[in-house]
Amino acid sequence: MIKKTLKRLNKYNFEVRHIVFLFSILIFFEIIVFLVFKSSLNEFVQDTREWYLQYTSNKMANTSVSSLEMLVETVRLNKNISEDERRKTIQKFDILLNQQIIEKDVEEICLFAKKGSRFFVVDDGEVIFNRYILKKNFIPPPSSEHRYAEELLDSIKTEVIKLENQVTLIDEREAFNSFIPFVPDGVFSGILYIRSKPNFSSITNQFINNYDIIAFTFSLIILVGLFFMYLISSYTVRTRDKIRKDLFEEKEIHLQEKIEHEKESVFTRRIYHAHHKAEKVMGFITSDIRKISGNDEIKERVLKYSNFISRIIYDMKWYEPQISTIRNPIFNTDINKVILFLVDNLFNRLSISSTTFSIKTEFDENFPVIHVNEFVIWEILEPLVQNSLVHNKEKKTEITIKTSFDQSAGNGKIYISDNGRGIAEELLQEVDGRKKIFHEQTSTKSRMQKNFGYGCFIAYNMTKRCGWGIDVKNLPDGGCEFAIEVLIPKS
């Protein structure tokens, strides 16, 4: 048996020096692969860490200032503020100014309120309420010192005021000091300061642990492979190539993800400036309209138009709008009033309304107030009604908008129906879990027409962000009916 084995090995003509030379070559290349992999991994971890820290800090800062601006703007709309509402509002301001208690990454937060050409430190919710809601000029001293923040502000406030853009400074402790313009109603009123130090250690430790496991396993496999290399050299080469390919593919995936994030960041910076200016101008328009004396009905109507345009601009600025700007306890919307306003001041103001269509409303007076932004509801209802108008031009169309509330089930319904020609059956077929009509760029219009197939798609996405449901069907007597299910949490 031994003689047969030796005879079989002799045909490979392997000598000791050949095996030693082969092992030395393989070990040398293995060391190179190990060093290259370690260097690549360290570089990737470092780049990922820098990007993560910057992205987390900027997102946290933008979310805080947007929440504070939205809260101020919303409270200002309420002209008669009760003592209970005042107390709750101040509590909300205090929550925003005490994020270091809620968010462990936030070390310090305060608001530099602008008064004339000077900035005063504000870290108390009651002071913000008195300053921005009651318009009081007196600003008391802050409850704690913010000397480091004041020193940093002196060095960059000219840049923040001139460009009205966020400025982030990184100090020697690798903490991010963010200064964000505070512009409620589009008017520059101060600068929000947030000092944060995101924690990346858990992710770094995970990388290191995984790397140690991979390195140990890889080394063990190589040692076993070297011992049997003279018998299974070809198999070892194929295995090594496969492992190397997998590693490079994994790195390529991470690089592609990083590139996509960088593209999104560049796109955000490009459009932020333009939309920021537009939002500011809309704030000026809203502020000036409030100062006009005269017909309060017309003024209120124009204010709603202005706020709706501001909402559209906001949606254009964010690829994924924050859920708190869509549904939030601070919103108290009467759907019946929203529908009535749209009918009277939007659709019935069209010059063709008397000859081509008529709109009838049937309201359930028991329909409760919901905590959803009323201008988001505009974005849902307007394209659905417009769908009935655009696709039924052959005869005068009667559109019915109806609301109903089922108290036992805890939900409400909004029905939009017409007596037109209905929807093509092919658009009512389900594709990927939803009907084809709710897919992007899906329409029966000619392909030569541009910008089609977005109305129902937008309405569908908006209802999902509200946590609602939407469906559509053709009616037996002709026409179609959209049904929106409004989920109302039990109080």
Side-chain angles (χ1 to χ4, degrees), residues 91-103 106 109 123-125:
Q91 184 180 18
K92 293 175 183 178
F93 284 137
D94 285 330
I95 291 174
L96 289 173
L97 292 176
N98 288 277
Q99 291 189 48
Q100 62 266 34
I101 300 176
I102 303 172
E103 296 283 347
V106 177
I109 182 170
D123 58 3
D124 184 78

Side-chain angles (χ1 to χ4, degrees), residues 195-212:
R195 177 184 177 87
S196 60
K197 190 175 182 181
N199 187 2
F200 193 76
S201 59
S202 60
I203 301 177
T204 304
N205 292 336
Q206 188 66 30
F207 273 116
I208 294 174
N209 292 336
N210 289 340
Y211 173 74
D212 291 337

Side-chain angles (χ1 to χ4, degrees), residues 41-100:
L41 183 62
N42 288 337
E43 181 180 356
F44 170 74
V45 171
Q46 184 64 27
D47 292 344
T48 304
R49 176 180 179 276
E50 293 175 359
W51 170 84
Y52 172 81
L53 297 179
Q54 184 72 36
Y55 173 81
T56 302
S57 299
N58 289 342
K59 182 178 180 182
M60 186 184 304
N62 285 325
T63 300
S64 299
V65 76
S66 297
S67 300
L68 188 59
E69 290 173 353
M70 185 174 63
L71 181 57
V72 171
E73 293 170 359
T74 303
V75 175
R76 283 180 178 177
L77 295 176
N78 189 0
K79 297 180 180 179
N80 299 318
I81 302 176
S82 65
E83 183 61 27
D84 185 60
E85 291 175 338
R86 175 182 178 275
R87 180 180 57 78
K88 290 181 179 179
T89 302
I90 292 175
Q91 184 180 18
K92 293 175 183 178
F93 284 137
D94 285 330
I95 291 174
L96 289 173
L97 292 176
N98 288 277
Q99 291 189 48
Q100 62 266 34

Side-chain angles (χ1 to χ4, degrees), residues 432-446:
D432 296 332
R434 56 175 156 166
K435 292 184 177 179
K436 192 175 180 181
I437 192 173
F438 296 122
H439 285 257
E440 188 175 7
Q441 291 186 326
T442 299
S443 176
T444 55
K445 292 182 180 180
S446 170

Side-chain angles (χ1 to χ4, degrees), residues 117-331:
S117 59
R118 298 180 60 191
F119 289 90
F120 294 84
V121 179
V122 176
D123 58 3
D124 184 78
E126 186 172 3
V127 178
I128 294 181
F129 185 88
N130 294 334
R131 175 63 180 168
Y132 293 102
I133 307 302
L134 302 182
K135 305 294 185 179
K136 292 184 179 180
N137 289 324
F138 176 70
I139 301 178
S143 58
S144 59
E145 287 191 357
H146 301 273
R147 188 170 301 171
Y148 183 66
E150 293 178 83
E151 294 176 357
L152 293 178
L153 179 63
D154 289 337
S155 64
I156 55 90
K157 67 179 179 181
T158 302
E159 179 182 355
V160 177
I161 296 173
K162 183 177 180 181
L163 301 178
E164 290 192 15
N165 204 355
Q166 176 179 343
V167 174
T168 301
L169 303 176
I170 306 175
D171 56 26
E172 63 277 4
R173 294 180 56 245
E174 294 188 332
F176 289 77
N177 300 274
S178 300
F179 294 86
I180 317 97
F182 178 59
V183 285
D185 291 326
V187 179
F188 180 79
S189 304
I191 299 174
L192 183 68
Y193 167 75
I194 297 181
R195 177 184 177 87
S196 60
K197 190 175 182 181
N199 187 2
F200 193 76
S201 59
S202 60
I203 301 177
T204 304
N205 292 336
Q206 188 66 30
F207 273 116
I208 294 174
N209 292 336
N210 289 340
Y211 173 74
D212 291 337
I213 294 173
I214 293 173
F216 174 79
T217 305
F218 195 76
S219 299
L220 183 61
I221 292 174
I222 292 300
L223 288 175
V224 175
L226 289 176
F227 183 74
F228 295 100
M229 187 58 68
Y230 62 97
L231 293 177
I232 53 172
S233 58
S234 60
Y235 176 79
T236 305
V237 170
R238 289 196 300 268
T239 303
R240 186 196 63 187
D241 291 342
K242 183 179 182 303
I243 293 174
R244 182 179 294 176
K245 181 181 178 181
D246 291 341
L247 291 174
F248 280 112
E249 285 179 351
E250 183 178 354
K251 182 180 179 181
E252 182 180 4
I253 291 173
H254 288 300
L255 289 175
Q256 289 176 348
E257 291 177 353
K258 181 180 178 181
I259 291 172
E260 289 301 321
H261 285 301
E262 289 176 349
K263 286 181 179 179
E264 292 178 5
S265 177
V266 171
F267 174 72
T268 301
R269 289 195 299 270
R270 284 173 52 194
I271 68 172
Y272 179 83
H273 183 73
H275 288 107
H276 182 65
K277 296 300 181 185
E279 285 181 317
K280 183 170 70 173
V281 172
M282 289 308 303
F284 292 156
I285 293 173
T286 303
S287 178
D288 290 343
I289 291 173
R290 290 197 178 100
K291 296 176 183 178
I292 298 174
S293 60
N295 193 319
D296 291 337
E297 181 182 353
I298 295 178
K299 186 168 73 173
E300 186 66 23
R301 185 166 65 242
V302 175
L303 278 173
K304 283 187 177 290
Y305 292 153
S306 174
N307 289 331
F308 178 64
I309 295 174
S310 297
R311 177 68 200 188
I312 296 298
I313 293 173
Y314 178 85
D315 285 344
M316 292 170 62
K317 185 169 70 173
W318 299 101
Y319 178 75
E320 287 288 345
Q322 299 174 22
I323 198 67
S324 60
T325 66
I326 296 175
R327 42 182 174 161
N328 198 305
I330 66 175
F331 299 128

